[in-house]
Amino acid sequence: MKGVIKKISSDPLGLIGLCLVTLMVISALGAPIFAPYDPIQLNIMERLQGPSVNHLLGTDQLGRDLFSRVLFGGQVALKVAFLTIGLALIVGIVLGLIAGYGPAWLDNSIMLLFDTIRSVPTIMLALAAVTVVGPSITTVIFVVAVSSIPNYGRIVRTQTLTIKSKDFVKAEKLMGASLLRILSIHLLPNILGPLLILASMDIPTVIALEAGLSFLGMGVKPPTPSWGSILNDGFSLIRNTPWPIIAGSIPLVLATLGFTFLGESLRDLLDPKLRKLL
Amino acid sequence: MTLMFFMIHLVPGDPARIMLGPRATPEMIADISMRMGLDQPLVIQLMKFLGNILKGDLGVDVLSSRPVTEIVFGQLPYTLWLIFSAIFGAMLIGIPLGCYSALHRNTFADRVTGVISVACITAPSFVVALYSLLIFAVTLKWFPAIGAGEKGDFFDQATHLVLPAFAIGISWVGYLSRLVRASMLEVLGENHIRTARAYGLTEFTIVYRYALKIAILPTVTVIGVGMGFLISAAVLTEVVFARPGLGKLIIESITTRNYPVVMGSVFISTGLFVISTTISDLVNASLDPRIRDNL
């Protein structure tokens, strides 16, 4: 682990990425400590202010401190990103292993399912789900997870197919190893590396999607602060003040940039062959 | 589509009741249920629904009683124009940029283009849209902020298209330039390019007439597959610029709980995605003799 961090730091972009991601994680986790105000406390007297010593990023139309909202918004972004990708990874691995190792009919039906999911643009799927069950963080997490399952599942399947016919797996089978043992001890560790890199490169996409959906009012419910909902507030006030838009977009852009740089340098470091694939 | 059908119907609660809100009377609910065919058994509803789709009928808008197909296809051209101008602009800038980067590999200019490309790719399109609205429309007033322009006035429509297309296209500039750079580097190392060099052809002819022809192939696939992202970006951008189109239609129908229109729009955009993937495969085949012969 120490070696990985050291190597990433030697690549300037990787270092920037690492710093940005660390900054984001610390500020999100420490939001209750760092935030000078309650992110949902109204203060109509001080509404629509520009940045000042009291309010570092100004206030929104209800007088809420934007800096505090941005910090707490980071919590939402991180939560959505990690839960979504974790969920998609687990389901993707299971389905991918089944498809790659199981009988042909099962493989075909799982691939059909993957293709079906992939043929619907994520935002459209999300909007359709929101129409039915209403906007909430859970809906966002669930939908984005479902739409990213095929990405992971396909890679797991391909890798499983390749490794399945290797001699060491055949030998293990002859020695009478159980299916579970073959899958978990021999196949999984060989697949996990590229999968984790892919997952880390998906984090910015998920963060941007959450922000996009919250911006449309289809993500987190007010008054919960999210970068997307801050941007939405800013959008409705665009002719009065630019500050909410600036406040909402800076962390969003920095976070996506940070995770992208980090993911790319991680990929180059751990598995340069993937460069062409991803 | 069947999946969506079940999603809407298996969720607890009567769709008609949700649509009309808490103050609906039982008579109103019964009326809407009948108009949507909700009073029939689920299997029959599904069969009817799928059958109608095959006939090209996506149902009727419950609020205005106009056919959904008419509404969706009325909005579709706006979205298509937006997407095509975005991707066209991105190709116009991104491909030469990628060639330049590949030819000046590992120079300072190449590194800078690389970093800017990544930054462009990661910037969420609606954030770019908000900033371009803020800077070019609200502050500088160079371009109009909302709408799609007067019908029939080409210039007016074009100026309305600039900012939204920029917002969607910018990430593709980065993406395409990186893609072209990578495939160009690969192609330039191949034997036929060395032969062309040996013949003493100019660098320009080699790069743009011989190498680019091959280096551009992955781009075609990526654009076809990327249609889904383009549609997603278009939805958000249309909302920011209050521009008519599929995205705005779908958001409006969600707020008014107009299920048939939501389903119709999702169906059409999914169809668009599938069609574009197919077209890109065909274009790829016609450009690449190796694939053409396998078909």
Side-chain angles (χ1 to χ4, degrees), chain A residues 31 33-38 54 56 65 67-68 71:
Chain A
I33 306 167
F34 300 129
Y37 297 88
D38 182 349
N54 284 335
L56 285 176
D65 179 50
F67 182 64
S68 310
L71 289 181

Side-chain angles (χ1 to χ4, degrees), chain A residues 118-119 132 235 249 260 264, chain B residues 11 122 131 178 240 269-270 273:
Chain A
R118 275 165 64 105
S119 65
V132 180
F235 175 50
S249 60
T260 307
E264 295 212 334
Chain B
V11 163
T122 50
Y131 269 96
R178 290 194 80 187
V240 171
S269 58
T270 306
F273 186 28

Side-chain angles (χ1 to χ4, degrees), chain B residues 256-280:
Chain B
T256 52
R257 295 188 185 280
N258 201 338
Y259 289 144
V261 179
V262 176
M263 279 174 83
S265 326
V266 173
F267 180 70
I268 295 294
S269 58
T270 306
L272 205 64
F273 186 28
V274 174
I275 292 172
S276 75
T277 320
T278 318
I279 292 180
S280 86

Side-chain angles (χ1 to χ4, degrees), chain B residues 67 69 76 109 114 200 228:
Chain B
T69 10
L76 192 61

Side-chain angles (χ1 to χ4, degrees), chain B residues 78 81 148-158 160:
Chain B
Y78 291 105
W81 265 114
E150 289 285 320
K151 265 212 170 102
D153 184 348
F154 179 75
F155 183 73
D156 193 32
Q157 285 184 337
H160 277 87

Side-chain angles (χ1 to χ4, degrees), chain A residues 12 52 58 71 77 90 104 116-117 127 129 138 147 149 151 158 168 170 196 200 207 229-230 237 245 249 257-258 273:
Chain A
S52 62
L71 289 181
I90 294 171
T116 315
I117 296 175
L127 291 178
T138 326
S147 67
I149 288 173
N151 300 345
T158 329
F168 74 94
K170 282 184 189 156
L196 286 180
S200 77
I207 291 181
S229 57
I230 297 174
L237 300 167
I245 290 186
S249 60
L257 261 185
K273 276 179 295 179

Side-chain angles (χ1 to χ4, degrees), chain A residues 3 19 41 43 59 129 157 183 198 231 264-265 275 278:
Chain A
C19 291
Q41 194 200 355
N43 187 353
T59 56
R157 173 181 172 269
L183 289 184
L198 186 67
L231 284 170
E264 295 212 334
S265 90
R275 211 185 168 123
L278 302 178

Side-chain angles (χ1 to χ4, degrees), chain A residues 230-246:
Chain A
I230 297 174
L231 284 170
N232 189 14
D233 291 343
F235 175 50
S236 49
L237 300 167
I238 198 162
R239 286 176 198 281
N240 305 324
T241 166
W243 291 107
I245 290 186
I246 295 174

